[in-house]
Amino acid sequence: KNEVEQSPQNLTAQEGEFITINCSYSVGISALHWLQQHPGGGIVSLFMLSSGKKKHGRLIATINIQEKHSSLHITASHPRDSAVYICAVRSEETSGSRLTFGEGTQLTVNP
Amino acid sequence: EAQVTQNPRYLITVTGKKLTVTCSQNMNHEYMSWYRQDPGLGLRQIYYSMNVEVTDKGDVPEGYKVSRKEKRNFPLILESPSPNQTSLYFCASSLRHHQAGNSPLHFGNGTRLTVT
């Protein structure tokens, strides 16, 4: 079993829909990252969380440390949100220096 | 502009010919790291560095070397590349790893390496 599991692997939505991507992990963590990778390949950091909830524009990220689970929500989705979304955790065991990644969720938003 | 610069973007080489992929950041970040991305396997950490002259192995270090002689540079060295090192490589940096609340990762644009 992978240390970081994402679901779903693929997600297709219509423009305007509310989207949720989930990330579960099995290790103690010091922080969790949500990343976005566009078709061109570049990776952008969306959020870093160690507790609670963060919001940036139409994106919301939450984390439940006790349940070892995080979610990324996109409100009013748009075709430009089409990308791969990757969850990554910084391991507490290595004081946050090691990162383990989920396999990513391919999101396609159709107009 | 704050950025992580990787070079080259694309590289095709032959088995056994030593190569270096450069990574440089202008944000005075202590933490730098290298990853490879392969279909079905996602991103995996190769090596990381918590500061100058401090490096450590990630999950897939075999066949790679790194050095951190200066804070801004963290080159990835393949002494004898093999076809199984064909991959998409990313360098990233952040502030000190334990400052989790203030350390988003900044990624380079990636290097697509093909070893024939």
Side-chain angles (χ1 to χ4, degrees):
Chain A
K1 187 178 189 297
N2 291 337
E3 289 182 350
V4 182
E5 299 269 358
Q6 279 186 242
S7 63
Q9 281 189 313
N10 293 283
L11 181 56
T12 300
Q14 287 301 120
E15 184 172 356
E17 284 185 5
F18 180 84
I19 287 161
T20 296
I21 299 170
N22 296 299
C23 176
S24 296
Y25 52 91
S26 57
V27 296
I29 68 167
S30 59
L32 180 143
H33 295 264
W34 280 104
L35 310 171
Q36 181 190 55
Q37 185 172 27
H38 276 284
I43 299 176
V44 174
S45 179
L46 296 175
F47 293 104
M48 189 180 59
L49 299 160
S50 51
S51 64
K53 175 179 172 178
K54 285 190 177 178
K55 184 176 190 291
H56 186 259
R58 296 179 294 107
L59 301 178
I60 303 165
T62 64
I63 188 167
N64 185 319
I65 297 292
Q66 286 74 30
E67 294 188 5
K68 292 187 163 65
H69 181 268
S70 175
S71 293
L72 176 69
H73 306 286
I74 305 175
T75 62
S77 59
H78 190 276
R80 66 174 175 265
D81 297 325
S82 297
V84 176
Y85 292 83
I86 302 167
C87 168
V89 300
R90 286 190 186 244
S91 166
E92 190 176 60
E93 206 173 272
T94 57
S95 302
S97 54
R98 294 276 292 269
L99 272 90
T100 305
F101 298 81
E103 286 193 33
T105 295
Q106 173 71 63
L107 171 65
T108 303
V109 182
N110 293 318
Chain B
E1 183 193 346
Q3 60 185 0
V4 178
T5 303
Q6 267 183 254
N7 280 299
R9 289 293 308 274
Y10 301 92
L11 180 57
I12 300 173
T13 190
V14 296
T15 299
K17 187 176 181 184
K18 181 179 177 180
L19 66 91
T20 299
V21 185
T22 63
C23 175
S24 180
Q25 51 90 8
N26 61 1
M27 295 167 280
N28 203 35
H29 285 166
E30 291 90 353
Y31 180 84
M32 297 186 75
S33 188
W34 276 103
Y35 308 92
R36 60 178 290 174
Q37 187 177 36
D38 302 288
L41 297 174
L43 284 154
R44 292 177 292 168
Q45 192 169 32
I46 304 171
Y47 268 95
Y48 61 91
S49 169
M50 292 187 284
N51 215 325
V52 176
E53 301 291 1
V54 180
T55 63
D56 212 340
K57 295 177 181 178
D59 294 317
V60 288
E62 296 79 18
Y64 304 95
K65 282 174 58 175
V66 292
S67 70
R68 188 91 184 270
K69 295 189 173 70
E70 309 159 281
K71 201 170 189 179
R72 63 183 292 123
N73 295 322
F74 190 46
L76 180 70
I77 303 153
L78 285 72
E79 295 270 4
S80 183
S82 63
N84 65 11
Q85 292 178 298
T86 292
S87 187
L88 178 58
Y89 291 85
F90 288 97
C91 177
S93 73
S94 73
L95 290 171
R96 282 197 302 272
H97 62 278
H98 58 273
Q99 289 181 331
N102 294 300
S103 302
L105 286 164
H106 297 259
F107 284 84
N109 286 331
T111 296
R112 189 168 291 280
L113 171 66
T114 302
V115 184
T116 61

